[in-house]
Amino acid sequence: MEIGEKSNKTLPVVGRFAPTPSGRLHLGNLMCAMLSWLSAKAAGGKVILRIEDLDAARCPFMGENTKYLLDDLAWMGLAFDGEVLWQSGRSAIYDTFLDKLKEKDLLYPCYCSRAELHAATAPHRADGVPKYDRKCWYRLQNGEPPPRDRKPALRVKVPNEIFGFVDGLQGEYSENLEADCSDFVVRRSDGVYAYQLAVVVDDGLSGVSEIVRGNDLLDSTPRQMFLQKIFGFSHPVYRHIPLLTDANGRRLSKREGDGCMERVRAAYPDPAPVIGALAAALGLLPSPESMRLKDLISLFDWSKIPRGAVLLPEGF
Ligand code: GLU
């Protein structure tokens, strides 16, 4: 098992916040941005902002959600280092990494439709998606011709190998990629690159050394570690943070508007009470009080951050 904490401690920390602008942010996203930022700043490092707008249909370039997102981050006082990275402009870079997979004979076309994938009786992975049964790989081995009327997605063939790490908050996590996950898509049939490939390429090329993100992505990490190994990138430190929930332990609901930034901004023109309330919910302050982000840097300590759910502060 590889240890996530093995990165070179003499290099400055490079963190990142990588939102997908497919809707208006909510306080849970802001909490993630705040923790990524505070962690890197408390270690004297840098934080990059990357907009994960790979899917132009869901996230048009500089669409309304992206404009709100940039405005919400600026309102909070979250200043990032360097230029914002836009995944929508990086297809040519992803092409070169796709070529590396091709050269290693790890890619194959998959013609299966979504309905076929869901109809397959394969067991489900940790994220609830049915495990791919390698139908198209066997088809290729048997020399069967591909269906003529479809464009293929591209899948990467995973090894029968365990990829594991020690998460800074969630502890040990590992998967045998073949048994627990199976071959996954790196480019969709419409030509859009998949999150798993883009995230590894971008984190690797940006020198990201610490990844702070929601623990709904914990089970993506072994796939990403596999790609890091193939591409020759070192493994960053991972800290998968708990979700922000309501008082009943339920995930914030977009429909109910819980913690939605539209509502938060209407109620709080000044971010200081919002930052203070989040800091108290995270255990960084004994009770909510108005704070600026930069004043939290010296109070920041991962050992104070809860491993389990974080309750939405009262009044949000
Ligand atoms: N873009 C993803 C999201 O908004 C996060 C990806 C990541 O942090 O690796 O949920």
Side-chain angles (χ1 to χ4, degrees), residues 16 18-20 52 195 199 213 217:
R16 48 65 149 188
T20 303
E52 301 213 321
Y195 157 71
V199 78
R213 62 185 178 192
L217 288 168

Side-chain angles (χ1 to χ4, degrees), residues 37-38 77 275 291-299:
W37 191 91
L38 284 173
I275 293 167
M291 289 294 276
R292 301 279 156 205
L293 264 182
K294 61 177 175 39
D295 299 325
L296 282 177
I297 296 175
S298 60
L299 302 177

Side-chain angles (χ1 to χ4, degrees), residues 35 169 241-242 279 282-284 300-308 310:
L35 286 173
L169 287 176
I241 62 170
L282 285 165
L284 295 173
F300 185 77
D301 181 350
W302 276 112
S303 70
K304 296 180 188 160
I305 307 299
R307 272 71 180 142
V310 177

Side-chain angles (χ1 to χ4, degrees), residues 16 40-42 55 57 76 88 92 101 103 124 127 135 140 168-170 174 192 212 244 252 261 263 272 279 292:
R16 48 65 149 188
K41 293 294 162 184
D55 186 343
M76 191 92 169
S88 53
L101 295 175
E103 280 159 25
H124 286 234
D127 58 5
K135 185 172 159 191
L140 205 64
L169 287 176
Q170 310 300 330
S174 68
V192 173
V212 177
L244 194 57
L252 297 191
M261 286 313 289
R263 223 151 84 174
R292 301 279 156 205

